[in-house]
Amino acid sequence: MTTLSPENSLSARQSASFILVKRKPPIDKTEWDSFFDENGHLAKSRDFICVNILERGLHPFVRTEAWKFLTGYFSWQSSQDERLTVDSMRRKNYKALCQMYEKIQPLLENLHRNFIETRNNIARDIQKLYDKDPLGNVLIDKKRLEKILLLSYVCNTQAEYQQGFHEMMMLFQLMVEHDHETFWLFQFFLQKTEHSCVINIGVAKNLDMLSTLITFLDPVFAEHLKGKGAGAVQSLFPWFCFCFQRAFKSFDDVWRLWEVLLTGKPCRNFQVLVAYSMLQMVREQVLQESMGGDDILLACNNLIDLDADELISAACVVYAELIQKDVPQTLKDFFL
């Protein structure tokens, strides 16, 4: 067992402090522009900006540009001219990848059975998307979305296509104007979050650490989950695969959580603390009704229309609690 330093404990209390006071307004365009000098270099530190994003969030008018820094689309050290060059390069590279795909598509169809199956899965998933707002206005272009998903699948050898990627990609198409931006932001997002949302890379580890965290912080609940509720935690993999997006009441809430995950604040693998906080929402019901695994899963699936700020605040409080305890080395290594 390892006791964390007083400095880290103070940092954790500061990270959770915004639950105790009214949250300041999100970073708007005027404030965001003030973070840069006349050449477009950041005049504020990356850490300063990320802490403010954690505590306050981003105004919709700022989100697209800020996410290009958070994902790695742009370097934090770049100038305005350098960013224009990078964007032009990414546009050209995307066009080249599209041309490559058109050339090799017949080969993929003939030699790779998985390609045909995945292409059909993507087409089915895309058709399931509800593409209109309450007024009937079309939100997304399904054909463009399908093309970008197929290209992403062909180009990404590690993060194979999985159900849920179509919904995630849709949110990137809604955020930006051009297809090359949608494609590259999604690729960088997957790289940043692969250890949380990609099944064949990190989801199992997240579920194991969630169980470890429950055992450490809430042994009574853990005992029930290991007994009558056996298998419930391992069945929560959709939370991570969909990056929690189905739990929220609006796209803005999804973007709000995702941008916090991209900051790396207040700690690494914050998504597991988010999942723990969601489980705590059903804890009393589970214990009072002595629920079994299937009923626990149903209760968790009924966690919808959540408020992102409230959930982030709750997870920060869990972090503040965790970091002040005599933490097992496995948890320390995972979160810190």
Side-chain angles (χ1 to χ4, degrees):
M1 304 284 277
T2 304
T3 304
L4 302 177
S5 68
E7 290 80 5
N8 281 336
S9 295
L10 178 60
S11 174
R13 289 194 294 273
Q14 290 172 335
S15 296
S17 63
F18 72 101
I19 194 174
L20 303 176
V21 297
K22 185 175 180 179
R23 189 167 69 95
K24 295 179 181 178
I27 300 169
D28 62 17
K29 188 69 169 68
T30 300
E31 184 176 4
W32 176 260
D33 290 343
S34 74
F35 294 160
F36 298 85
D37 65 19
E38 63 275 9
N39 295 317
H41 285 107
L42 278 174
K44 298 287 187 180
S45 71
R46 173 180 177 176
D47 192 67
F48 172 86
I49 294 173
C50 287
V51 168
N52 271 272
I53 291 173
L54 166 68
E55 296 183 346
R56 300 167 53 197
L58 295 164
H59 189 280
F61 291 165
V62 174
R63 184 163 282 136
T64 298
E65 184 176 357
W67 272 55
K68 289 182 177 179
F69 287 92
L70 290 171
T71 58
Y73 185 104
F74 289 147
S75 166
W76 290 92
Q77 287 76 43
S78 62
S79 66
Q80 177 63 26
D81 288 343
E82 289 169 339
R83 291 194 287 277
L84 290 174
T85 300
V86 167
D87 189 69
S88 176
M89 177 193 69
R90 299 210 188 285
R91 185 191 299 268
K92 291 177 182 177
N93 288 346
Y94 175 74
K95 184 177 180 180
L97 288 173
C98 290
Q99 293 171 344
M100 176 205 70
Y101 170 70
E102 291 176 1
K103 290 180 180 178
I104 67 172
Q105 183 179 351
L107 183 65
L108 292 171
E109 291 173 342
N110 291 327
L111 298 181
H112 294 275
R113 185 181 304 172
N114 287 345
F115 173 77
I116 298 292
E117 182 181 353
T118 301
R119 185 175 64 182
N120 291 338
N121 288 338
I122 289 174
R124 282 194 295 267
D125 287 343
I126 290 293
Q127 290 308 310
K128 293 175 186 175
L129 285 174
Y130 193 74
D131 59 350
K132 296 180 180 178
D133 67 15
L135 298 177
N137 300 311
V138 175
L139 292 172
I140 57 170
D141 186 320
K142 287 187 174 182
K143 288 189 177 297
R144 287 169 54 201
L145 198 61
E146 184 174 347
K147 174 185 175 182
I148 299 170
L149 276 169
L150 270 171
L151 186 62
S152 177
Y153 163 67
V154 171
C155 295
N156 203 322
T157 57
Q158 282 192 301
E160 297 179 358
Y161 179 78
Q162 65 188 42
Q163 191 178 34
F165 278 2
H166 64 300
E167 295 181 15
M168 296 169 71
M169 183 78 83
M170 178 187 72
L171 290 180
F172 285 94
Q173 190 183 71
L174 288 171
M175 185 190 301
V176 298
E177 181 178 357
H178 303 292
D179 287 356
H180 75 279
E181 296 174 303
T182 303
F183 174 81
W184 288 115
L185 278 175
F186 184 66
Q187 302 311 306
F188 287 122
F189 180 80
L190 285 183
Q191 289 176 19
K192 288 276 188 177
T193 62
E194 64 182 13
H195 292 291
S196 61
C197 70
V198 179
I199 288 178
N200 62 341
I201 297 178
V203 170
K205 176 69 172 178
N206 279 262
L207 293 169
D208 289 343
M209 294 310 298
L210 176 57
S211 294
T212 301
L213 184 65
I214 298 168
T215 299
F216 179 66
L217 290 179
D218 194 346
V220 172
F221 196 27
E223 191 66 26
H224 180 85
L225 292 173
K226 290 176 182 177
K228 191 170 183 179
V233 172
Q234 293 300 315
S235 298
L236 295 176
F237 66 90
W239 280 0
F240 296 105
C241 295
F242 289 90
C243 220
F244 305 99
Q245 72 180 87
R246 291 185 172 180
F248 293 110
K249 60 186 178 182
S250 71
F251 292 154
D252 281 326
D253 285 282
V254 179
W255 286 320
R256 171 75 177 114
L257 176 64
W258 286 5
E259 64 202 18
V260 168
L261 297 180
L262 288 170
T263 66
K265 303 293 181 181
C267 63
R268 295 188 297 114
N269 296 305
F270 187 62
Q271 71 279 352
V272 175
L273 300 183
V274 170
Y276 177 87
S277 300
M278 290 174 66
L279 265 175
Q280 288 294 302
M281 296 177 186
V282 301
R283 178 188 187 277
E284 293 305 314
Q285 180 187 4
V286 168
L287 294 179
Q288 288 176 6
E289 299 179 16
S290 191
M291 287 182 173
D294 290 342
D295 289 332
I296 295 172
L297 182 59
L298 180 61
C300 290
N301 288 339
N302 286 334
L303 290 174
I304 57 175
D305 293 337
L306 300 183
D307 180 277
D309 282 315
E310 292 178 1
L311 183 57
I312 292 165
S313 297
C316 282
V317 169
V318 174
Y319 177 61
E321 177 187 357
L322 176 68
I323 207 168
Q324 295 178 63
K325 292 180 177 290
D326 192 18
V327 181
Q329 190 65 43
T330 53
L331 292 177
K332 182 181 179 184
D333 292 342
F334 189 70
F335 290 111
L336 303 176

